[in-house]
Coordinates of all heavy atoms in Angstrom, one line a residue:
M1 N 41.0 -104.9 -4.9 CA 41.3 -104.9 -6.3 C 40.3 -105.6 -7.1 O 39.8 -106.7 -6.7 CB 42.7 -105.5 -6.4 CG 43.1 -105.6 -7.9 SD 44.7 -106.6 -8.0 CE 45.5 -105.3 -9.1
T2 N 39.9 -105.1 -8.2 CA 38.9 -105.8 -9.0 C 39.6 -106.9 -9.8 O 40.6 -106.7 -10.4 CB 38.2 -104.6 -10.0 OG1 37.7 -103.6 -9.2 CG2 37.1 -105.3 -10.8
T3 N 38.9 -108.1 -9.8 CA 39.5 -109.2 -10.6 C 39.1 -109.1 -12.1 O 38.0 -108.4 -12.4 CB 39.1 -110.5 -10.1 OG1 37.6 -110.7 -10.2 CG2 39.4 -110.6 -8.6
E4 N 39.8 -109.8 -12.9 CA 39.4 -109.9 -14.3 C 38.0 -110.4 -14.5 O 37.2 -110.1 -15.3 CB 40.4 -110.7 -15.1 CG 40.3 -110.6 -16.5 CD 41.5 -111.3 -17.3 OE1 42.6 -110.8 -17.1 OE2 41.2 -112.3 -18.0
T5 N 37.7 -111.4 -13.7 CA 36.3 -112.0 -13.7 C 35.2 -111.0 -13.4 O 34.2 -111.0 -14.0 CB 36.2 -113.2 -12.7 OG1 37.2 -114.2 -13.1 CG2 34.9 -113.8 -12.7
E6 N 35.5 -110.1 -12.4 CA 34.5 -109.1 -12.1 C 34.3 -108.1 -13.2 O 33.3 -107.6 -13.6 CB 34.9 -108.4 -10.7 CG 34.8 -109.3 -9.5 CD 35.5 -108.7 -8.3 OE1 36.4 -108.0 -8.5 OE2 35.0 -109.0 -7.3
I7 N 35.5 -107.8 -13.8 CA 35.4 -106.8 -15.0 C 34.6 -107.5 -16.1 O 33.8 -106.9 -16.8 CB 36.8 -106.5 -15.4 CG1 37.5 -105.7 -14.2 CG2 36.8 -105.6 -16.7 CD1 39.0 -105.5 -14.5
K8 N 34.9 -108.8 -16.4 CA 34.4 -109.4 -17.6 C 32.7 -109.5 -17.3 O 32.0 -109.3 -18.1 CB 34.9 -110.9 -17.6 CG 34.4 -111.7 -18.8 CD 34.9 -113.2 -18.8 CE 36.4 -113.2 -18.4 NZ 36.8 -114.5 -18.4
K9 N 32.3 -109.8 -16.0 CA 30.9 -109.9 -15.7 C 30.3 -108.5 -15.9 O 29.2 -108.4 -16.4 CB 30.8 -110.4 -14.3 CG 29.2 -110.5 -13.9 CD 29.0 -111.0 -12.5 CE 27.5 -111.1 -12.1 NZ 26.6 -110.4 -12.7
A10 N 30.9 -107.5 -15.4 CA 30.4 -106.1 -15.6 C 30.2 -105.7 -17.1 O 29.1 -105.2 -17.4 CB 31.2 -105.0 -14.9
I11 N 31.2 -106.0 -17.9 CA 31.0 -105.7 -19.2 C 30.0 -106.5 -20.0 O 29.2 -106.0 -20.8 CB 32.5 -105.9 -20.0 CG1 33.5 -104.8 -19.5 CG2 32.3 -105.9 -21.5 CD1 34.9 -105.1 -20.0
H12 N 30.0 -107.8 -19.7 CA 29.0 -108.7 -20.2 C 27.6 -108.2 -19.8 O 26.7 -108.2 -20.6 CB 29.2 -110.2 -19.7 CG 28.1 -111.2 -20.0 ND1 27.1 -111.5 -19.3 CD2 28.1 -111.8 -21.2 CE1 26.4 -112.3 -19.9 NE2 26.9 -112.6 -21.1
D13 N 27.4 -107.9 -18.5 CA 26.1 -107.5 -18.1 C 25.6 -106.2 -18.8 O 24.4 -106.1 -19.3 CB 26.0 -107.3 -16.6 CG 26.1 -108.6 -15.8 OD1 26.0 -109.7 -16.5 OD2 26.3 -108.5 -14.6
R14 N 26.5 -105.3 -19.0 CA 26.1 -104.0 -19.8 C 25.8 -104.3 -21.2 O 24.9 -103.8 -21.8 CB 27.3 -103.1 -19.6 CG 27.0 -101.7 -20.4 CD 25.9 -101.0 -19.8 NE 25.6 -99.8 -20.6 CZ 24.5 -99.6 -21.1 NH1 23.5 -100.4 -21.0 NH2 24.2 -98.4 -21.9
L15 N 26.6 -105.2 -21.8 CA 26.4 -105.5 -23.3 C 25.1 -106.2 -23.6 O 24.6 -106.1 -24.6 CB 27.6 -106.2 -23.8 CG 29.0 -105.4 -24.1 CD1 30.1 -106.3 -24.5 CD2 28.7 -104.2 -24.9
R16 N 24.7 -107.0 -22.5 CA 23.4 -107.7 -22.7 C 22.3 -106.8 -22.8 O 21.2 -107.2 -23.5 CB 23.2 -108.6 -21.5 CG 24.1 -109.9 -21.4 CD 23.8 -110.7 -20.2 NE 22.4 -111.1 -20.2 CZ 21.8 -111.6 -19.1 NH1 22.4 -111.7 -18.0 NH2 20.5 -111.9 -19.2
V17 N 22.4 -105.5 -22.4 CA 21.3 -104.6 -22.5 C 21.3 -104.0 -23.9 O 20.2 -103.7 -24.4 CB 21.6 -103.5 -21.5 CG1 20.6 -102.3 -21.6 CG2 21.5 -104.0 -20.1
I18 N 22.4 -103.9 -24.6 CA 22.5 -103.2 -25.8 C 22.7 -104.1 -27.1 O 22.5 -103.6 -28.2 CB 23.5 -102.1 -25.8 CG1 24.9 -102.6 -25.5 CG2 23.2 -101.0 -24.8 CD1 26.1 -101.6 -25.6
L19 N 23.1 -105.3 -26.9 CA 23.4 -106.3 -28.0 C 22.3 -107.3 -28.0 O 21.8 -107.8 -27.0 CB 24.8 -106.9 -27.9 CG 25.9 -105.9 -28.1 CD1 27.2 -106.8 -27.9 CD2 25.9 -105.2 -29.4
P20 N 21.9 -107.8 -29.2 CA 21.0 -108.9 -29.3 C 21.5 -110.2 -28.7 O 20.7 -110.9 -28.1 CB 20.7 -109.1 -30.8 CG 21.3 -108.0 -31.5 CD 22.3 -107.3 -30.5
K21 N 22.9 -110.4 -28.8 CA 23.4 -111.6 -28.2 C 25.0 -111.3 -27.9 O 25.6 -110.8 -28.7 CB 23.4 -112.7 -29.3 CG 23.7 -114.1 -28.7 CD 22.8 -114.5 -27.6 CE 23.0 -115.9 -27.3 NZ 22.1 -116.4 -26.2
I22 N 25.2 -111.7 -26.6 CA 26.6 -111.7 -26.2 C 26.9 -112.8 -25.3 O 26.0 -113.2 -24.4 CB 27.0 -110.3 -25.4 CG1 28.5 -110.2 -25.2 CG2 26.2 -110.1 -24.3 CD1 29.4 -109.8 -26.3
V23 N 27.9 -113.6 -25.5 CA 28.2 -114.8 -24.6 C 29.5 -114.7 -24.1 O 30.5 -114.1 -24.7 CB 27.9 -116.1 -25.4 CG1 26.5 -116.3 -25.8 CG2 28.8 -116.2 -26.6
R24 N 29.7 -115.3 -22.9 CA 31.2 -115.5 -22.4 C 31.6 -116.7 -22.8 O 30.9 -117.8 -22.8 CB 31.0 -115.5 -20.8 CG 30.7 -114.1 -20.2 CD 30.6 -114.1 -18.7 NE 29.3 -114.9 -18.3 CZ 28.9 -114.9 -17.2 NH1 29.7 -114.5 -16.1 NH2 27.8 -115.5 -16.9
V25 N 32.9 -116.7 -23.3 CA 33.5 -117.9 -23.8 C 34.5 -118.4 -22.8 O 35.4 -117.7 -22.3 CB 34.3 -117.6 -25.0 CG1 35.0 -118.8 -25.7 CG2 33.3 -117.0 -26.1
Q26 N 34.3 -119.8 -22.4 CA 35.3 -120.3 -21.5 C 36.5 -120.8 -22.3 O 36.4 -121.7 -23.1 CB 34.6 -121.5 -20.8 CG 35.5 -122.2 -19.9 CD 35.9 -121.4 -18.8 OE1 35.1 -120.7 -18.2 NE2 37.1 -121.4 -18.4
A27 N 37.6 -120.2 -22.1 CA 38.9 -120.7 -22.8 C 39.7 -121.5 -21.8 O 39.4 -121.7 -20.8 CB 39.5 -119.4 -23.3
G28 N 40.8 -121.9 -22.4 CA 41.7 -122.6 -21.7 C 41.6 -124.1 -21.8 O 40.8 -124.6 -22.7
R29 N 42.2 -124.8 -20.9 CA 42.2 -126.3 -20.9 C 41.8 -126.8 -19.6 O 42.0 -126.2 -18.6 CB 43.6 -126.8 -21.3 CG 44.1 -126.5 -22.6 CD 45.5 -127.1 -22.8 NE 46.3 -126.1 -22.0 CZ 47.7 -126.1 -22.0 NH1 48.2 -126.9 -22.9 NH2 48.4 -125.4 -21.3
F30 N 41.1 -128.0 -19.6 CA 40.8 -128.7 -18.4 C 40.9 -130.1 -18.6 O 40.8 -130.6 -19.7 CB 39.5 -128.2 -17.9 CG 38.3 -128.5 -18.7 CD1 37.5 -129.6 -18.6 CD2 38.0 -127.6 -19.7 CE1 36.5 -130.0 -19.5 CE2 36.9 -127.8 -20.6 CZ 36.2 -129.0 -20.4
R31 N 40.8 -130.9 -17.6 CA 40.8 -132.3 -17.7 C 39.4 -132.8 -17.5 O 38.7 -132.6 -16.6 CB 41.7 -133.0 -16.5 CG 42.1 -134.4 -16.9 CD 43.3 -134.8 -16.0 NE 44.5 -134.2 -16.2 CZ 45.4 -134.4 -17.3 NH1 45.1 -135.3 -18.2 NH2 46.5 -133.7 -17.3
G32 N 38.9 -133.6 -18.6 CA 37.5 -134.1 -18.6 C 37.3 -135.3 -17.8 O 38.3 -135.8 -17.2
A33 N 36.2 -135.8 -17.7 CA 35.8 -136.9 -16.8 C 36.7 -138.1 -17.2 O 37.0 -138.9 -16.3 CB 34.4 -137.3 -16.9
S34 N 37.0 -138.3 -18.5 CA 37.7 -139.4 -18.9 C 39.3 -139.2 -18.5 O 40.0 -140.2 -18.7 CB 37.6 -139.6 -20.4 OG 38.3 -138.5 -21.1
G35 N 39.7 -138.1 -18.1 CA 41.1 -137.8 -17.8 C 41.9 -137.2 -18.9 O 42.9 -136.8 -18.7
R36 N 41.2 -137.1 -20.0 CA 41.9 -136.4 -21.2 C 41.8 -134.9 -21.1 O 40.8 -134.4 -20.6 CB 41.1 -136.8 -22.5 CG 41.4 -138.3 -22.9 CD 40.6 -138.7 -24.1 NE 40.7 -137.6 -25.1 CZ 39.9 -137.7 -26.2 NH1 39.1 -138.7 -26.5 NH2 40.0 -136.7 -27.1
V37 N 42.8 -134.2 -21.6 CA 42.8 -132.7 -21.6 C 41.9 -132.2 -22.7 O 41.9 -132.7 -23.9 CB 44.2 -132.2 -21.9 CG1 44.2 -130.7 -22.0 CG2 45.2 -132.6 -20.7
V38 N 41.0 -131.4 -22.4 CA 40.0 -130.8 -23.3 C 40.3 -129.3 -23.4 O 40.6 -128.5 -22.5 CB 38.6 -130.9 -22.7 CG1 37.6 -130.4 -23.7 CG2 38.3 -132.5 -22.4
H39 N 40.4 -128.9 -24.7 CA 40.6 -127.5 -24.9 C 39.2 -126.8 -25.1 O 38.5 -127.2 -26.0 CB 41.4 -127.3 -26.3 CG 42.8 -127.7 -26.2 ND1 43.9 -127.0 -25.7 CD2 43.4 -129.0 -26.4 CE1 45.0 -127.7 -25.8 NE2 44.7 -128.9 -26.1
A40 N 38.9 -126.0 -24.2 CA 37.6 -125.3 -24.3 C 37.5 -124.4 -25.4 O 36.3 -124.3 -26.0 CB 37.4 -124.6 -23.0
A41 N 38.4 -123.7 -25.9 CA 38.3 -122.8 -27.1 C 39.8 -122.8 -27.7 O 40.8 -123.0 -27.0 CB 37.9 -121.5 -26.7
E42 N 39.8 -122.4 -28.9 CA 41.1 -122.2 -29.6 C 41.9 -121.1 -28.9 O 41.4 -120.1 -28.4 CB 40.8 -121.8 -31.0 CG 40.3 -122.9 -32.0 CD 41.2 -124.0 -32.1 OE1 42.4 -123.8 -32.2 OE2 40.8 -125.2 -32.0
P43 N 43.2 -121.2 -28.8 CA 44.0 -120.2 -28.3 C 43.7 -118.9 -29.0 O 43.6 -118.8 -30.3 CB 45.5 -120.6 -28.6 CG 45.4 -122.1 -28.6 CD 44.0 -122.3 -29.3
G44 N 43.6 -117.8 -28.2 CA 43.3 -116.5 -28.8 C 41.9 -116.1 -28.8 O 41.5 -114.9 -29.0
T45 N 40.9 -117.1 -28.6 CA 39.4 -116.8 -28.6 C 39.2 -115.7 -27.6 O 39.6 -115.9 -26.3 CB 38.7 -118.1 -28.4 OG1 39.1 -119.0 -29.3 CG2 37.1 -117.8 -28.4
P46 N 38.5 -114.7 -27.8 CA 38.2 -113.6 -26.8 C 37.3 -114.0 -25.8 O 36.6 -115.1 -25.9 CB 37.7 -112.5 -27.7 CG 37.2 -113.1 -28.8 CD 37.9 -114.4 -29.1
D47 N 37.2 -113.3 -24.7 CA 36.4 -113.6 -23.5 C 34.9 -113.5 -23.9 O 34.0 -114.3 -23.3 CB 36.7 -112.7 -22.4 CG 38.1 -113.0 -21.8 OD1 38.4 -114.2 -21.6 OD2 38.9 -112.0 -21.7
L48 N 34.5 -112.5 -24.7 CA 33.1 -112.1 -24.9 C 32.9 -112.1 -26.5 O 33.7 -111.5 -27.2 CB 32.7 -110.9 -24.4 CG 32.9 -110.8 -22.9 CD1 32.6 -109.3 -22.5 CD2 31.9 -111.6 -22.2
L49 N 31.9 -112.9 -27.0 CA 31.6 -112.8 -28.4 C 30.1 -112.5 -28.5 O 29.3 -113.1 -27.8 CB 31.8 -114.1 -29.0 CG 33.3 -114.6 -29.3 CD1 33.4 -116.0 -29.7 CD2 33.9 -113.6 -30.3
G50 N 29.7 -111.6 -29.5 CA 28.4 -111.3 -29.7 C 28.2 -110.7 -31.1 O 29.2 -110.7 -32.0
F51 N 27.0 -110.2 -31.3 CA 26.7 -109.5 -32.6 C 25.8 -108.3 -32.4 O 25.0 -108.3 -31.5 CB 26.3 -110.4 -33.6 CG 25.1 -111.2 -33.3 CD1 23.8 -110.7 -33.5 CD2 25.1 -112.5 -32.8 CE1 22.6 -111.4 -33.2 CE2 24.0 -113.2 -32.4 CZ 22.7 -112.6 -32.7
C52 N 25.8 -107.4 -33.3 CA 24.9 -106.2 -33.3 C 23.6 -106.6 -34.1 O 23.6 -107.7 -34.7 CB 25.6 -105.1 -34.0 SG 27.1 -104.5 -33.1
D53 N 22.7 -105.7 -34.0 CA 21.4 -105.9 -34.7 C 21.5 -106.2 -36.2 O 20.9 -107.1 -36.8 CB 20.5 -104.7 -34.6 CG 19.8 -104.7 -33.2 OD1 19.6 -105.7 -32.6 OD2 19.6 -103.6 -32.8
H54 N 22.5 -105.6 -36.9 CA 22.7 -105.8 -38.2 C 23.7 -106.9 -38.6 O 24.1 -107.0 -39.7 CB 23.2 -104.4 -38.9 CG 24.4 -103.8 -38.3 ND1 24.3 -103.2 -37.0 CD2 25.6 -103.8 -38.7 CE1 25.6 -102.8 -36.7 NE2 26.4 -103.1 -37.7
G55 N 24.1 -107.6 -37.6 CA 25.0 -108.8 -37.8 C 26.4 -108.6 -37.7 O 27.2 -109.6 -37.8
R56 N 27.0 -107.4 -37.3 CA 28.3 -107.1 -37.1 C 28.8 -107.8 -35.9 O 28.2 -107.7 -34.8 CB 28.6 -105.7 -37.1 CG 30.0 -105.3 -37.0 CD 30.1 -103.9 -36.9 NE 31.5 -103.4 -37.0 CZ 31.9 -102.2 -36.7 NH1 31.0 -101.2 -36.5 NH2 33.2 -101.8 -36.8
I57 N 29.9 -108.7 -36.0 CA 30.4 -109.4 -34.9 C 31.0 -108.5 -33.9 O 31.7 -107.5 -34.3 CB 31.3 -110.6 -35.2 CG1 31.6 -111.5 -34.0 CG2 32.6 -110.1 -36.0 CD1 32.3 -112.8 -34.5
V58 N 31.0 -108.8 -32.6 CA 31.7 -108.1 -31.6 C 32.5 -109.1 -30.8 O 32.1 -110.1 -30.4 CB 30.7 -107.4 -30.6 CG1 31.4 -106.7 -29.4 CG2 29.8 -106.4 -31.5
A59 N 33.8 -108.9 -30.7 CA 34.8 -109.7 -29.9 C 35.5 -108.9 -29.0 O 36.1 -107.9 -29.4 CB 35.7 -110.4 -31.0
I60 N 35.5 -109.2 -27.7 CA 36.1 -108.5 -26.6 C 37.0 -109.3 -25.8 O 36.6 -110.4 -25.3 CB 35.1 -107.7 -25.8 CG1 34.2 -106.7 -26.6 CG2 35.8 -107.0 -24.7 CD1 33.1 -106.0 -25.9
E61 N 38.2 -109.1 -25.6 CA 39.1 -109.6 -24.7 C 39.2 -108.7 -23.5 O 39.5 -107.5 -23.5 CB 40.6 -109.7 -25.4 CG 41.5 -110.4 -24.5 CD 41.1 -111.8 -24.1 OE1 40.6 -112.6 -24.8 OE2 41.4 -112.1 -22.9
V62 N 39.0 -109.3 -22.3 CA 38.9 -108.5 -21.1 C 40.3 -108.8 -20.4 O 40.8 -110.0 -20.2 CB 37.8 -109.0 -20.2 CG1 37.8 -108.2 -18.9 CG2 36.5 -108.8 -20.9
K63 N 40.8 -107.7 -19.8 CA 42.1 -107.8 -19.1 C 41.9 -106.9 -17.8 O 41.3 -105.8 -17.9 CB 43.3 -107.3 -19.9 CG 43.6 -108.2 -21.1 CD 44.1 -109.5 -20.6 CE 44.4 -110.4 -21.8 NZ 44.6 -111.8 -21.3
K64 N 42.6 -107.4 -16.8 CA 42.6 -106.5 -15.5 C 43.5 -105.3 -15.8 O 44.4 -105.4 -16.8 CB 42.9 -107.2 -14.3 CG 44.3 -107.8 -14.4 CD 44.6 -108.6 -13.1 CE 45.9 -109.3 -13.1 NZ 46.2 -110.1 -11.9
P65 N 43.4 -104.2 -15.1 CA 44.4 -103.1 -15.4 C 45.8 -103.6 -15.4 O 46.2 -104.3 -14.5 CB 44.1 -102.1 -14.3 CG 42.6 -102.4 -13.9 CD 42.5 -103.9 -14.1
G66 N 46.6 -103.2 -16.3 CA 48.0 -103.6 -16.6 C 48.1 -104.9 -17.3 O 49.2 -105.4 -17.6
G67 N 47.1 -105.7 -17.5 CA 47.1 -106.8 -18.2 C 47.3 -106.7 -19.7 O 47.0 -105.6 -20.3
V68 N 48.0 -107.6 -20.3 CA 48.3 -107.5 -21.8 C 47.8 -108.8 -22.5 O 47.9 -109.9 -22.0 CB 49.9 -107.5 -21.9 CG1 50.3 -107.4 -23.4 CG2 50.4 -106.3 -21.2
A69 N 47.2 -108.4 -23.6 CA 46.7 -109.6 -24.5 C 47.7 -110.4 -25.1 O 48.9 -109.9 -25.5 CB 45.8 -109.0 -25.6
T70 N 47.6 -111.7 -25.3 CA 48.6 -112.5 -25.9 C 48.6 -112.3 -27.4 O 47.7 -111.6 -28.0 CB 48.2 -114.0 -25.7 OG1 47.1 -114.3 -26.5 CG2 48.1 -114.4 -24.2
T71 N 49.6 -112.7 -28.0 CA 49.8 -112.5 -29.5 C 48.5 -113.1 -30.2 O 48.0 -112.6 -31.1 CB 51.1 -113.2 -30.0 OG1 52.2 -112.6 -29.4 CG2 51.2 -113.1 -31.5
E72 N 48.2 -114.3 -29.8 CA 47.0 -115.0 -30.4 C 45.7 -114.2 -30.2 O 44.9 -114.1 -31.2 CB 46.7 -116.4 -29.8 CG 47.9 -117.4 -30.1 CD 49.0 -117.4 -29.1 OE1 49.1 -116.5 -28.2 OE2 49.9 -118.3 -29.2
Q73 N 45.5 -113.6 -29.1 CA 44.4 -112.8 -28.8 C 44.4 -111.6 -29.8 O 43.3 -111.1 -30.3 CB 44.3 -112.4 -27.3 CG 44.0 -113.6 -26.4 CD 44.3 -113.2 -24.9 OE1 45.0 -112.4 -24.5 NE2 43.6 -114.1 -24.1
V74 N 45.5 -110.9 -29.8 CA 45.6 -109.7 -30.7 C 45.3 -110.1 -32.1 O 44.6 -109.4 -32.9 CB 47.1 -109.1 -30.6 CG1 47.3 -108.0 -31.6 CG2 47.3 -108.5 -29.2
E75 N 45.9 -111.2 -32.6 CA 45.6 -111.7 -34.0 C 44.2 -112.0 -34.2 O 43.6 -111.6 -35.3 CB 46.5 -112.9 -34.3 CG 48.0 -112.6 -34.4 CD 48.7 -113.8 -34.5 OE1 48.3 -114.9 -34.3 OE2 50.1 -113.6 -34.7
F76 N 43.5 -112.6 -33.3 CA 42.0 -112.9 -33.4 C 41.3 -111.6 -33.5 O 40.5 -111.4 -34.4 CB 41.6 -113.7 -32.1 CG 40.1 -114.2 -32.4 CD1 39.9 -115.5 -32.6 CD2 39.0 -113.4 -32.2 CE1 38.6 -116.1 -32.8 CE2 37.7 -114.0 -32.5 CZ 37.6 -115.3 -32.7
L77 N 41.5 -110.6 -32.6 CA 40.8 -109.4 -32.6 C 41.1 -108.6 -34.0 O 40.2 -108.0 -34.5 CB 41.2 -108.5 -31.4 CG 40.8 -109.1 -30.0 CD1 41.3 -108.2 -28.9 CD2 39.3 -109.2 -30.0
A78 N 42.3 -108.6 -34.4 CA 42.6 -108.0 -35.7 C 41.9 -108.7 -36.8 O 41.4 -107.9 -37.7 CB 44.1 -108.1 -36.0
A79 N 41.8 -109.9 -36.8 CA 41.0 -110.7 -37.9 C 39.6 -110.3 -37.9 O 39.0 -110.2 -38.9 CB 41.2 -112.1 -37.8
V80 N 39.0 -110.1 -36.6 CA 37.5 -109.7 -36.6 C 37.4 -108.3 -37.2 O 36.5 -108.0 -38.0 CB 37.1 -109.7 -35.1 CG1 35.8 -108.9 -34.9 CG2 37.0 -111.1 -34.5
C81 N 38.3 -107.4 -36.8 CA 38.3 -106.0 -37.5 C 38.4 -106.0 -39.0 O 37.7 -105.3 -39.7 CB 39.4 -105.1 -36.8 SG 39.1 -104.8 -35.0
V82 N 39.4 -106.8 -39.5 CA 39.6 -106.9 -40.9 C 38.3 -107.4 -41.6 O 38.0 -107.0 -42.7 CB 40.7 -107.9 -41.2 CG1 40.8 -108.1 -42.7 CG2 42.0 -107.1 -40.8
A83 N 37.6 -108.3 -41.0 CA 36.3 -108.9 -41.5 C 35.1 -108.0 -41.3 O 34.1 -108.3 -41.7 CB 36.1 -110.1 -40.9
G84 N 35.4 -106.7 -40.7 CA 34.3 -105.7 -40.7 C 33.6 -105.7 -39.4 O 32.6 -105.0 -39.1
G85 N 34.1 -106.5 -38.3 CA 33.6 -106.6 -37.1 C 34.2 -105.7 -36.0 O 35.1 -104.9 -36.5
L86 N 33.8 -105.7 -34.9 CA 34.4 -104.8 -33.8 C 35.2 -105.7 -32.8 O 34.6 -106.7 -32.2 CB 33.4 -104.1 -33.1 CG 33.8 -103.3 -31.8 CD1 34.8 -102.3 -32.1 CD2 32.6 -102.8 -31.0
G87 N 36.5 -105.6 -32.8 CA 37.4 -106.4 -31.9 C 38.1 -105.4 -30.9 O 38.7 -104.4 -31.5
A88 N 38.1 -105.7 -29.7 CA 38.8 -104.7 -28.8 C 39.3 -105.5 -27.5 O 38.7 -106.6 -27.1 CB 37.8 -103.6 -28.4
T89 N 40.3 -104.8 -26.9 CA 40.6 -105.3 -25.6 C 40.1 -104.2 -24.6 O 40.2 -103.1 -24.8 CB 42.2 -105.4 -25.5 OG1 42.7 -106.2 -26.4 CG2 42.6 -105.8 -24.1
C90 N 39.5 -104.7 -23.5 CA 38.8 -103.8 -22.6 C 39.3 -104.2 -21.1 O 39.7 -105.2 -20.8 CB 37.3 -103.9 -22.6 SG 36.6 -103.4 -24.1
T91 N 39.3 -103.1 -20.2 CA 39.6 -103.2 -18.9 C 38.6 -102.7 -18.1 O 37.8 -101.8 -18.6 CB 41.0 -102.6 -18.5 OG1 41.0 -101.2 -18.7 CG2 42.1 -103.3 -19.1

């Protein structure tokens, strides 16, 4: 079975060839060296963020087959689309 991480890497690697910039976003929470909980990204932030040559933002939430985006993820992607960017969920 293909993991979400493997799918994310495959999509990222392909987009690196066609977009000027695409980055993987580390989301979630972790405990920092001081012991405090650190939020790596705001809830709903997609897995991949980039832009096209003409400046249009690209936001992609990656899910394994059968996976479902959270309400926050759907809202983020919708906001990107409303602003003229490309927001999508991919498997």
Side-chain angles (χ1 to χ4, degrees):
M1 177 182 232
T2 304
T3 67
E4 191 171 297
T5 300
E6 292 168 330
I7 297 168
K8 190 183 314 180
K9 181 180 182 332
I11 294 170
H12 177 263
D13 290 349
R14 178 65 182 123
L15 289 176
R16 284 181 59 197
V17 174
I18 60 175
L19 295 177
K21 190 67 172 176
I22 187 80
V23 296
R24 288 180 285 182
V25 177
Q26 180 61 44
R29 296 176 289 188
F30 62 93
R31 200 163 292 282
S34 67
R36 291 179 39 195
V37 174
V38 177
H39 295 269
E42 292 293 319
T45 303
D47 295 310
L48 301 170
L49 286 172
F51 57 87
C52 299
D53 284 330
H54 55 284
R56 187 175 183 196
I57 190 169
V58 176
I60 299 174
E61 179 59 37
V62 178
K63 295 294 179 193
K64 63 183 178 181
V68 178
T70 67
T71 299
E72 292 89 353
Q73 291 165 337
V74 171
E75 289 172 353
F76 189 106
L77 296 173
V80 167
C81 292
V82 167
L86 171 66
T89 303
C90 296
T91 57

